[in-house]
Amino acid sequence: MPQPLLELKDLSVGFDTERGQIRPVAEVSFSIYPGQTVALVGESGCGKSVTALSILRLIPQPPGRILGGQVLLEGQDLLKLSERDMRGVRGKDIAMIFQEPMTSLNPVYTIGDQIIEAVTLHQHVSTREARDIAERSLNDVGISDPHRRLQEYPHQMSGGMRQRVMIAMALSCQPKLLIADEPTTALDVTIQAQILELLRKLQRERGMSILLITHDLGVVAENADTVGVMYASRVVEFATVEELFDHPKHPYTEGLFRSIPKLGQHAKRLETISGMVPAPTRFPSGCKFHPRCPRTRKMAESIKAAQPVSMPPGSNVPLETTPIRDADGDIFDVLSKCVGVEPTLREVKPSHWASCHVLENYEKSPPTAPHLEHRREDATNGASSDAQEVIR
Amino acid sequence: MLTYILRRLLLMIPTLLGMTALVFCVMAMSPGGIGGAALAAAGGNVRGAEAARIRAYYEKRYHINSPLIVQYGRWLNEISPIGWREDDDGNFTTFGFKSPSLGESMERHRPVGDLIAESLPITLLLNFITIPIIYAIGVWTGIRAARHRGGAFDSIFGFTQLAAWSMPTIWLGVMLITFLASNQYLHWFPAAGLNEMTASQMKFLPFFDPAHHWHRGWVLDVCWHIMLPVACLSFGASAFLTKLVRGSVLENLGADYARTARAKGVAENVVLYRHVFRNSLIALITVAAAILPSLLAGSVIIETIFSIPGMGQLGVEGARFQDREVILAVTLIGGIITLVSMLLRDIFYVLADPRVSYD
Amino acid sequence: MTEINVSTLTPPADPYPAPNAGNVVDAPVSFTRKVLRLTFERIGAQLGLFWIVLIMVLAVFAPLLANSHPLAMKSNGQWSSPLARALTPTDVTLLIASFAALVLWRLKRIRLATRVWTFIGIIIVAAVVSCVTVKPPLVQVYDTYRNGLVSGEISKAIFVPIHYSPDDHQRDVEDARLKPPTLAHPMGTTADSADLASNMIYATRIAISIGFVATSVAIVMGVIMGGLMGYLGGWVDLIGMRLVEICESIPTLVLLLAFVSMFQNHPDQALYIMMVVIGALSSFSYAEFVRAEFLSLRDRDFVHAAQAGGLPLWSILFKHMLPNGMSPVIVNASFGVAGAILIETTLSFLGIGLQNESSWGSLLEQALGAGGNVFWWLAVYPGLAIFLTVLAYNLIGEALRDALDPRLNKMA
């Protein structure tokens, strides 16, 4: 069995804030295979950016802290490397591009200087050769007249061009994995499409893997091979892109898809997921989605009356099962679990992981970390166009 | 760029005119009017023939009773290189090029130009020694505090920085003199002046004489005298700069481009010194123009406390005696220095920040 | 085993439920209160506030702390209170005002605005009434008490802790000039043979009043200037900025010195003239802040709405725009008070300024005597007082700045 390029195993990251310690990333596990594009999807504040930054250990150590888990790059745990060795990985084996091309480049140096810096850090070449490499990188990302561009400053370029420069800089040392943190969010829609196509082309040419962080399901549909959905610090669903779009299993993912308006649909109001994303200092007990979940609501409605409350949701509830009784005194097992026990990712269907107590095969499957060596060319044309059908 | 500089230089002229006019009006409004106190000091305020003669002399020589516009106009004429030449009786003769002069002091009866030539270099010396010192201290301490944010250095720094900035210069000066420069306590430093009285006989550099006694020499003597005044002057300003550097470095360390650099694999040290500091330089330059005027104000106090005959002292005395020429000259020179330093700051700004251009 | 109320899981029938499921919302707190709480949470601001309250107390109760007049005196079998008789209108007004402030502060039931207006009213009434009724004796001869005690005329006299007034030049004592601290004079004596501790206490009044009045004048003038320049723009702005530039380029001290000769002729009003002049000269920096804020606020929608509604100019400027643009002014106000105190100190030190009363600056000046003699008590005590006061205001200013600017808060 081929080995994954990058494997996250139960990665947890904590932050010390004025209001106490929060855990923006809790037991996140997934794998990225060579040549694969894995998308990490979620709303703002779900922890996807922190996860990405933690892979490269770019979270400042106070106030941040790695609470546990492993990040295995070709079998080697990056979390155990010395800072010096880690610097050898950054930019060389794993590169990262960021959301805001406006501010992500140093305004007082030419882009030539900045790309050459990246090159000379990891490759033993003369400045002359480094300049040539830089020029070639600019060419690869589709920037015309690269020789002149090397002398320019970031403020002299448009947003789309700056993002291309960022990509050129990231790829100048031929990394095996490119982490792209919302690379197109700050750009116009047309430029978005160009940048994503560029990334796809470079990936094909170099056999590079991409970890694509985004909140845009359209981007996911067009670019990802496998998808992880994150909510409130955890991965709640992980599947191939076709499977996810055709058969979402987790109520949050279902809610996301339902809220996308469809062409030709008649409706008076847009559908939403009721409630708000909880702040990291106020995560609910048990399943973090349970206060907003339509499944728990249905279960609750079927109970005729309720016992008086002793604790509000959101407080520290012990992790054993806290039974919920209806008027007749019967225990509602599943609902109690939703409120009291945090679900973990389990393979509820072949090649489809989800974490929800209500799912059919949830109890039967063991908790495992997702491994999906899947690429979109493997699927049939019909399925992939189905996925895109949903978006259009 | 050259046109920009030229334009700025030309714009300085109306500003300088406005400044001197304003100061002139303030002087005129004060009791006694222009030259009142000087006149009084010379004995012209009492009754009697002698006093009347003094008054007449002052009027003829310094025109203190002429209308204000005329007085100001005369002064403008004096300082301009093109104007009416004046003969000894005060009548105007031909119009054309002439050598500009700053007039004569009413109180000391000496040409103001000479007074300024004597005192300005001293003030400039004081300030120009101070500026590199405060920048060196400020930058080193600020970077250190930012790098070890939250550590022992930073906490101690935070506490002492505010105390140092709040320290009144006069108190510091008085305390230093009291305890370090007096006969009653430690006499490590001299208390007054820039030179010993035997300065003119000193050789320039230190030397040993045949009897193996070590002589300080003029240079070291000035250094020894100037240490306390410079220490006083740089105390508050370096505290201010330190805080600025720390804040700017911290802000830039958390900026997006710093994150990009780290993601490229750049070491933290290099991020600090190559990427962050270069950006903080911009903030440092911006603040430089604010520092110089405050240093000038500070040096007035220092000159008074340490009895250093600089331009500040000249100005204070001129104000005391409502000595028109002296005050106007001091205002003019002070204004020129301030405006030129602002222009220099803007030029350096363009050099430091590629996003800015004046063309 | 704990039980959980299921009804908290069922949202109401409304398809758009209140967005609080799973969250708890803070009770709303007014902005001012939040800023004040954040500011005075920090230890620095607390220490600063403590010191300022301390000197305010000293200022108000000065005549009861340091006075050559005995509090109570028995002479010829009669008890009398020379101290009470010698109180000036200022003393009386300050005492009444602080008592009123204390009472009003405790009455938390009444609305804040009402309390503030009541306080102002009480001060005005007290000032007017005391000016009319309170008449201290014009000539004060302090020696009589000391001589009287010695000679027996005065059988008993109860003094306040420091039994010297600041203008008691001890003419009955030989060579009391510039003496180091003793039991009788815990801080030593000044160049006028007066008690230093007494002078220091009375000088707190000058420090406090200069600070507040000068800064208030500066803020009012600056806000008006800056507001008009920022809002109207155009040539008002151009001319205004040139004026501001001119005034700021003048070496401040020289300009101040030029103004200062006005003090010489009106020694009684010197204090007030100085406050106004310092205030006017400091107003330019506030004007620049307000102008910058107003320039950016001018294009905001709520301003357009106010203009479209036909509101008068002063209402738009002061009721709508100003509360939004005040933060840099507030932050710098505290530093401004410190700065005003420093300017006054410097002027007094240079020998210009107040002639009749001593301020900390003029006391400090006496530390360096002629012929290289130094008097450490005159260097340490007044200087320390100035330093601590400036430090206190700076500490509060720093805390205010951190509280008002959340961005900087995260960095520090």
Side-chain angles (χ1 to χ4, degrees):
Chain A
M1 207 179 64
Q3 284 294 75
L5 172 65
L6 184 77
E7 218 182 318
L8 267 71
K9 285 189 173 165
D10 288 332
L11 177 67
S12 296
V13 178
F15 256 85
D16 297 321
T17 68
E18 282 163 7
R19 294 187 224 142
Q21 205 203 54
I22 61 171
R23 218 158 49 133
V25 173
E27 286 152 15
V28 164
S29 310
F30 59 87
S31 319
I32 308 178
Y33 283 84
Q36 205 184 33
T37 302
V38 176
L40 209 50
V41 176
E43 291 173 88
S44 313
C46 68
K48 46 192 204 298
S49 286
V50 179
T51 309
L53 288 169
S54 307
I55 294 176
L56 277 181
R57 278 168 52 183
L58 284 178
I59 306 278
Q61 280 311 301
R65 217 161 352 140
I66 306 272
L67 296 174
Q70 294 176 308
V71 177
L72 301 171
L73 176 68
E74 289 174 330
Q76 190 187 37
D77 190 359
L78 294 181
L79 299 179
K80 295 213 175 19
L81 284 184
S82 72
E83 178 64 23
R84 197 200 173 121
D85 293 333
M86 193 67 215
R87 286 206 295 267
V89 170
R90 291 187 198 129
K92 183 156 166 301
D93 297 317
I94 306 179
M96 188 159 176
I97 61 176
F98 298 95
Q99 179 175 351
E100 289 280 350
M102 298 295 166
T103 48
S104 293
L105 289 168
N106 196 331
V108 299
Y109 289 113
T110 60
I111 61 164
D113 286 336
Q114 299 187 51
I115 303 182
I116 292 176
E117 183 185 32
V119 170
T120 48
L121 266 174
H122 300 292
Q123 304 176 37
H124 292 294
V125 289
S126 70
T127 324
R128 181 92 216 224
E129 289 163 0
R131 189 168 288 275
D132 291 335
I133 296 179
E135 237 182 273
R136 250 177 289 139
S137 310
L138 284 184
N139 218 352
D140 286 345
V141 297
I143 293 184
S144 60
D145 199 2
H147 190 79
R148 189 170 61 94
R149 297 285 188 202
L150 283 181
Q151 322 283 4
E152 283 185 4
Y153 287 95
H155 69 273
Q156 294 170 287
M157 300 180 148
S158 69
M161 197 128 54
R162 274 186 246 191
Q163 194 62 296
R164 287 177 196 262
V165 167
M166 288 277 293
I167 297 173
M169 202 160 67
L171 298 185
S172 58
C173 296
Q174 320 283 339
K176 303 180 181 119
L177 169 66
L178 174 69
I179 304 181
D181 190 355
E182 311 232 30
T184 53
T185 309
L187 302 171
D188 294 336
V189 180
T190 44
I191 312 288
Q192 244 185 48
Q194 289 175 14
I195 298 288
L196 289 171
E197 199 184 297
L198 173 67
L199 284 177
R200 280 200 300 272
K201 172 177 98 100
L202 291 167
Q203 181 185 37
R204 272 197 311 268
E205 285 171 7
R206 299 170 185 225
M208 185 175 68
S209 310
I210 299 184
L211 175 62
L212 185 59
I213 316 253
T214 179
H215 61 263
D216 188 341
L217 287 171
V219 168
V220 173
E222 302 229 349
N223 296 281
D225 297 325
T226 58
V227 186
V229 178
M230 279 189 77
Y231 181 80
S233 80
R234 305 191 88 94
V235 178
V236 295
E237 192 161 1
F238 195 93
T240 66
V241 63
E242 298 89 353
E243 175 67 22
L244 188 84
F245 275 69
D246 288 339
H247 311 290
K249 289 273 173 235
H250 193 276
Y252 176 61
T253 322
E254 281 179 357
L256 283 181
F257 282 119
R258 258 204 319 269
S259 62
I260 301 174
K262 294 168 193 36
L263 276 182
Q265 185 189 28
H266 287 289
K268 288 216 179 76
R269 280 193 158 131
L270 295 173
E271 290 222 29
T272 56
I273 309 176
S274 63
M276 254 177 28
V277 177
T281 45
R282 293 190 210 283
F283 277 158
S285 59
C287 170
K288 297 200 169 43
F289 189 63
H290 87 256
R292 306 168 75 184
C293 184
R295 298 177 189 174
T296 55
R297 197 182 319 146
K298 239 188 289 199
M299 283 191 276
E301 278 167 2
S302 69
I303 299 176
K304 296 182 197 105
Q307 298 282 0
V309 64
S310 55
M311 258 190 270
S315 55
N316 277 332
V317 179
L319 278 187
E320 67 250 16
T321 311
T322 43
I324 294 179
R325 299 174 186 279
D326 68 353
D328 305 325
D330 296 326
I331 296 178
F332 263 72
D333 229 351
V334 177
L335 189 53
S336 313
K337 286 213 202 90
C338 286
V339 174
V341 178
E342 179 93 60
T344 50
L345 272 181
R346 299 181 190 209
E347 197 171 1
V348 292
K349 226 179 117 174
S351 296
H352 193 146
W353 279 256
S355 67
C356 178
H357 291 294
V358 178
L359 286 173
E360 258 180 57
N361 294 322
Y362 187 71
E363 293 293 307
K364 299 185 206 138
S365 341
T368 52
H371 283 264
L372 276 179
E373 203 204 347
H374 166 83
R375 292 181 191 75
R376 11 176 9 101
E377 294 79 46
D378 303 347
T380 63
N381 265 346
S384 77
S385 62
D386 267 348
Q388 306 199 5
E389 195 52 48
V390 169
I391 306 304
R392 306 220 196 297
Chain B
M1 178 71 163
L2 217 54
T3 45
Y4 174 74
I5 298 181
L6 225 59
R7 197 161 40 112
R8 284 288 294 262
L9 286 173
L10 283 177
L11 275 177
M12 282 195 333
I13 297 182
T15 313
L16 288 172
L17 277 178
M19 270 168 45
T20 45
L22 186 63
V23 172
F24 186 76
C25 291
V26 170
M27 255 202 305
M29 287 194 298
S30 56
I34 309 283
L39 190 59
N45 258 3
V46 294
R47 266 185 279 191
E50 175 72 18
R53 215 166 40 81
I54 294 179
R55 277 201 296 274
Y57 171 73
Y58 266 74
E59 164 58 35
K60 181 163 170 336
R61 191 162 176 141
Y62 299 116
H63 312 282
I64 53 179
N65 285 330
S66 313
L68 292 178
I69 305 274
V70 174
Q71 290 192 48
Y72 189 64
R74 268 183 199 274
W75 184 73
L76 284 180
N77 183 48
E78 253 174 2
I79 59 169
S80 116
I82 310 179
W84 283 274
R85 278 189 220 98
E86 207 176 320
D87 67 16
D88 287 329
D89 286 329
N91 298 323
F92 288 112
T93 53
T94 49
F95 183 87
F97 281 103
K98 66 178 196 36
S99 49
S101 107
L102 285 168
E104 191 178 291
S105 157
M106 284 180 222
E107 190 244 332
R108 293 202 217 179
H109 306 293
R110 289 180 58 200
V112 175
D114 290 352
L115 293 173
I116 300 253
E118 284 169 4
S119 55
L120 183 62
I122 296 179
T123 306
L124 285 181
L125 175 71
L126 202 57
N127 284 304
F128 284 169
I129 293 189
T130 311
I131 292 180
I133 292 182
I134 59 177
Y135 267 90
I137 297 180
V139 166
W140 186 84
T141 326
I143 292 188
R144 186 105 191 271
R147 277 178 78 179
H148 304 282
R149 194 225 301 201
F153 188 85
D154 195 26
S155 321
I156 299 177
F157 157 80
F159 173 70
T160 51
Q161 183 266 341
L162 199 58
W165 183 37
S166 314
M167 175 86 71
T169 324
I170 36 183
W171 190 42
L172 186 62
V174 168
M175 290 286 274
L176 284 177
I177 294 186
T178 306
F179 293 110
L180 287 182
S182 64
N183 296 322
Q184 283 149 272
Y185 300 97
L186 299 164
H187 203 170
W188 289 350
F189 294 97
L194 271 187
N195 291 89
E196 298 290 331
M197 300 219 264
T198 53
S200 40
Q201 287 122 359
M202 282 189 194
K203 288 199 189 236
F204 197 64
L205 293 169
F207 68 99
F208 282 101
D209 73 4
H212 297 289
H213 291 304
W214 185 70
H215 287 267
R216 231 180 283 138
W218 189 84
V219 170
L220 280 191
D221 187 49
V222 171
C223 288
W224 185 54
H225 276 85
I226 218 173
M227 270 202 224
L228 279 189
V230 164
C232 253
L233 202 54
S234 45
F235 203 71
S238 53
F240 174 71
L241 264 186
T242 319
K243 174 151 181 124
L244 190 82
V245 168
R246 177 185 179 273
S248 169
V249 167
L250 273 182
E251 190 179 330
N252 282 313
L253 275 178
D256 284 347
Y257 66 81
R259 183 181 58 177
T260 309
R262 287 187 199 108
K264 284 196 307 202
V266 178
E268 193 64 26
N269 260 359
V270 180
V271 170
L272 181 68
Y273 287 110
R274 196 190 307 163
H275 290 260
V276 164
F277 187 66
R278 185 75 176 61
N279 278 277
S280 293
L281 208 57
I282 299 175
L284 277 178
I285 294 179
T286 316
V287 90
I291 289 200
L292 193 56
S294 87
L295 279 185
L296 281 179
S299 56
V300 171
I301 305 171
I302 301 283
E303 286 169 17
T304 311
I305 301 180
F306 288 92
S307 315
I308 297 178
M311 209 173 73
Q313 257 210 343
L314 190 65
V316 171
E317 243 186 74
R320 231 179 235 160
F321 289 103
Q322 283 136 7
D323 195 339
R324 176 189 61 209
E325 316 286 45
V326 168
I327 292 192
L328 285 174
V330 168
T331 313
L332 184 70
I333 307 265
I336 291 180
I337 295 181
T338 311
L339 290 173
V340 166
S341 69
M342 287 209 259
L343 179 62
L344 281 176
R345 171 202 67 180
D346 289 337
I347 296 179
F348 280 132
Y349 203 60
V350 167
L351 294 174
D353 191 346
R355 289 170 285 190
V356 175
S357 118
Y358 292 126
D359 302 311
Chain C
M1 289 203 290
T2 45
E3 318 241 314
I4 297 187
N5 187 352
V6 157
S7 65
T8 56
L9 293 174
T10 39
D14 183 347
Y16 299 99
N20 272 340
N23 290 356
V24 174
V25 166
D26 285 318
V29 176
S30 90
F31 182 67
T32 320
R33 198 161 304 174
K34 189 168 88 151
V35 168
L36 283 175
R37 185 175 54 90
L38 274 175
T39 309
F40 290 107
E41 255 171 11
R42 322 194 60 230
I43 178 114
Q46 289 169 0
L47 289 174
L49 189 64
F50 171 73
W51 173 258
I52 293 180
V53 167
L54 179 67
I55 60 174
M56 280 194 185
V57 165
L58 287 178
V60 166
F61 290 100
L64 294 174
L65 289 169
N67 215 318
S68 288
H69 299 286
L71 185 58
M73 175 174 85
K74 185 167 178 192
S75 163
N76 301 333
Q78 292 269 38
W79 279 99
S80 60
S81 177
L83 188 147
R85 251 201 326 229
L87 287 176
T88 63
T90 319
D91 299 331
V92 172
T93 315
L94 280 175
L95 284 167
I96 295 181
S98 47
F99 182 69
L102 200 62
V103 166
L104 283 172
W105 185 58
R106 286 318 238 156
L107 295 174
K108 292 220 180 6
R109 297 280 201 84
I110 313 180
R111 249 185 49 198
L112 186 64
T114 323
R115 284 189 274 164
V116 170
W117 285 115
T118 320
F119 180 64
I120 295 179
I122 292 183
I123 293 186
I124 296 182
V125 166
V128 168
V129 166
S130 56
C131 276
V132 169
T133 52
V134 174
K135 297 236 181 297
L138 280 171
V139 177
Q140 325 228 17
V141 186
Y142 300 112
D143 318 344
T144 46
Y145 303 110
R146 291 189 279 274
N147 294 336
L149 276 171
V150 165
S151 69
E153 249 182 70
I154 303 174
S155 49
K156 205 166 162 64
I158 304 175
F159 285 94
V160 289
I162 301 178
H163 33 264
Y164 294 98
S165 284
D167 48 352
D168 182 354
H169 298 295
Q170 298 190 76
R171 300 207 202 287
D172 52 325
V173 179
E174 212 181 287
D175 191 29
R177 269 188 98 227
L178 294 169
K179 287 281 167 280
T182 59
L183 219 57
H185 296 282
M187 287 192 194
T189 58
T190 68
D192 294 329
S193 312
D195 181 57
L196 181 60
S198 170
N199 271 286
M200 294 263 302
I201 293 179
Y202 276 81
T204 55
R205 292 185 172 183
I206 297 175
I208 295 178
S209 53
I210 290 240
F212 278 126
V213 174
T215 308
S216 310
V217 167
I219 290 182
V220 167
M221 283 180 59
V223 163
I224 295 179
M225 275 199 294
L228 286 172
M229 284 203 291
Y231 183 74
L232 296 173
W235 60 266
V236 171
D237 187 30
L238 274 174
I239 297 190
M241 275 310 280
R242 293 282 87 72
L243 264 172
V244 167
E245 242 181 60
I246 290 179
C247 291
E248 282 196 330
S249 312
I250 305 184
T252 335
L253 222 46
V254 173
L255 188 59
L256 261 176
L257 294 170
F259 267 110
V260 140
S261 34
M262 291 200 234
F263 304 159
Q264 323 287 38
N265 271 30
H266 302 278
D268 291 328
Q269 286 89 18
L271 184 61
Y272 305 105
I273 300 178
M274 193 187 274
M275 289 193 234
V276 170
V277 167
I278 296 179
L281 288 176
S282 319
S283 63
F284 298 114
S285 70
Y286 295 111
E288 277 190 49
F289 286 130
V290 175
R291 171 183 172 270
E293 291 277 326
F294 270 48
L295 274 178
S296 76
L297 283 174
R298 200 167 46 152
D299 294 323
R300 296 268 285 273
D301 285 339
F302 71 90
V303 174
H304 290 316
Q307 288 167 326
L311 291 177
L313 179 67
W314 70 266
S315 169
I316 300 181
L317 284 179
F318 296 114
K319 276 183 71 176
H320 292 266
M321 290 175 79
L322 192 57
N324 285 291
M326 275 299 270
S327 357
V329 173
I330 295 176
V331 165
N332 282 287
S334 194
F335 297 124
V337 173
I341 294 180
L342 274 178
I343 295 182
E344 182 273 320
T345 311
T346 311
L347 286 178
S348 305
F349 184 85
L350 291 174
I352 308 156
L354 308 168
Q355 312 290 358
N356 292 348
E357 312 154 58
S358 321
S359 80
W360 289 331
S362 56
L363 292 170
L364 186 61
E365 191 257 332
Q366 297 171 9
L368 300 176
N373 290 326
V374 290
F375 309 102
W376 66 267
W377 56 98
L378 284 162
V380 170
Y381 294 119
L384 196 60
I386 304 170
F387 171 60
L388 288 176
T389 311
V390 169
L391 183 62
Y393 282 112
N394 280 339
L395 280 169
I396 294 182
E398 288 274 320
L400 259 178
R401 172 161 53 193
D402 289 338
L404 273 174
D405 195 342
R407 188 175 60 100
L408 283 176
N409 210 357
K410 273 190 225 143
M411 295 300 164

